[in-house]
Amino acid sequence: MAPQPAAGPADPAGPVDAAAAGTPAGRVLTDAIRHSAGRATAICLLAAASAAASVALPAALGHTLDLALDSSGEAARWTALCALLVAAEVLLDAVSAHLTGTTDARSTAWLRRRGLEHLLAVGPRRAARFGHGDLVTRLSGNAAEAGAAPATAATAVSSLLTPLGALVALLLVDPWLAAAFCAGVPLLVLLLRAFARGSSDSVSRYQRVQGEIAARLVEALAGARTLAAAGTAGRERARVLAPLPELAAQGRRMWHVYGQAMVGSGVLVPLLTIAVLAVGGVRLAAGGLSVGELLAASRYAALAAGVGAVTGRIGALEPFGASADDKVLFP
């Protein structure tokens, strides 16, 4: 982004100091969530109900298996309960997905309208800090990513229930199994922290370069006839595409960070599950666990390791911060 020009006495918006530069993104995020508060609350409740069904299902399956092995007459009733839990989870997820899509669309439209109205209100002098292409990028692609903020925030809060509930359930099944899982939690936390830090920086840099290319392209298109008459189209093409290597580098960096996180989680999560199963096998041989409880424990270990999904949802808010970091565009 171009350096910020000083505000004159007639500037209605007043000067923008360094201390205030970091505040608009958080304020706009709060306003966007408040604008979609009802829908975000509904999404949060639906996701919480789905998480409750997910946590209850392994225990029901394990108990059903134990009843079936004992040839109990209650196995049929518990099988029906398991089917009901599966159906409820699918239905809740479907309704939540539909509501999330409509909420994203409404939030995106609201952000675009708010940004455009304020941009027109502050006048051309203050708006001149943005190139035309940068404005188009912010009000189109970036606003669409930012529109997911309310739904993402709602599901990020409720998605904590699944791993935390699974960990508590694993503790209730057998404390030794919970201890085996918790032994690898510090490594999982370090992996998620590294991913969040690297993803935030790379996304911010990528969007800045993307806006610069868009600004140069719009300028070139505005003077297309002049460039054609002067025979400088090749030189202008090179100028527009000059930041492209940096854009490619930041894109590769984003995928590199993502790939490292996927490789790390692809190794660590199965190891945590194997550790729980190994301890569970020992406990089963010693008579401390039933077959159904071991089945439930294996499922709870997988659910508890899904805390990475929470980081992924929070990481989805990073493009929003990068697109709302100036109060000329977002008051």
Side-chain angles (χ1 to χ4, degrees):
M1 183 182 299
Q4 177 179 314
D11 192 341
V16 183
D17 54 73
T23 58
R27 184 171 62 252
V28 177
L29 173 59
T30 302
D31 291 344
I33 294 175
R34 187 181 297 115
H35 176 261
S36 302
R39 289 173 173 266
T41 301
I43 292 172
C44 185
L45 293 176
L46 288 170
S50 178
S54 298
V55 173
L57 182 59
L61 286 173
H63 188 62
T64 302
L65 178 59
D66 286 337
L67 291 176
L69 293 176
D70 291 340
S71 300
S72 173
E74 295 184 358
R77 186 173 63 182
W78 278 88
T79 301
L81 176 61
C82 292
L84 182 61
L85 288 173
V86 172
E89 185 177 355
V90 171
L91 179 61
L92 289 169
D93 287 344
V95 176
S96 178
H98 174 74
L99 189 58
T100 296
T102 57
T103 302
D104 290 350
R106 288 166 58 93
S107 298
T108 299
W110 179 79
L111 284 170
R112 286 173 175 165
R113 184 171 60 251
R114 171 176 173 163
L116 184 58
E117 288 176 352
H118 185 68
L119 186 65
L120 296 174
V122 299
R125 184 167 173 268
R126 292 217 40 169
R129 77 176 57 183
F130 295 102
H132 295 168
D134 191 15
L135 288 175
V136 171
T137 300
R138 286 172 178 264
L139 292 176
S140 57
N142 290 2
E145 294 175 339
T152 300
T155 54
V157 173
S158 59
S159 61
L160 282 170
L161 297 177
T162 299
L164 292 180
L167 185 58
V168 172
L170 190 62
L171 179 64
L172 293 176
V173 171
D174 191 274
W176 288 104
L177 302 181
F181 179 85
C182 290
V185 168
L187 293 177
L188 184 61
V189 171
L190 291 176
L191 175 66
L192 299 178
R193 182 181 178 184
F195 169 71
R197 182 178 302 174
S199 176
S200 172
D201 184 63
S202 61
V203 167
S204 178
R205 291 174 181 268
Y206 185 90
Q207 288 193 334
R208 185 171 62 250
V209 179
Q210 187 182 46
E212 183 180 351
I213 293 177
R216 295 186 182 193
L217 178 60
V218 171
E219 292 174 2
L221 292 176
R225 293 183 178 181
T226 303
L227 294 174
T232 58
R235 187 191 313 165
E236 186 66 15
R237 185 185 304 110
R239 186 186 74 87
V240 172
L241 298 179
L244 193 59
E246 184 180 357
L247 184 72
Q250 294 303 327
R252 285 193 296 269
R253 183 185 174 200
M254 282 195 298
W255 282 109
H256 180 69
V257 171
Y258 179 77
Q260 283 185 323
M262 291 300 100
V263 170
S265 61
V267 173
L268 184 58
V269 171
L271 285 178
L272 289 175
T273 305
I274 291 173
V276 171
L277 288 175
V279 175
V282 174
R283 296 285 294 156
L284 178 63
L289 283 180
S290 67
V291 176
E293 287 174 333
L294 182 60
L295 172 65
S298 66
R299 182 57 184 159
Y300 282 134
L303 291 176
V307 70
V310 180
T311 300
R313 294 181 184 276
I314 296 175
L317 295 173
E318 294 298 339
F320 177 80
S323 64
D325 61 355
D326 197 297
K327 62 183 181 183
V328 169
L329 186 57
F330 293 101

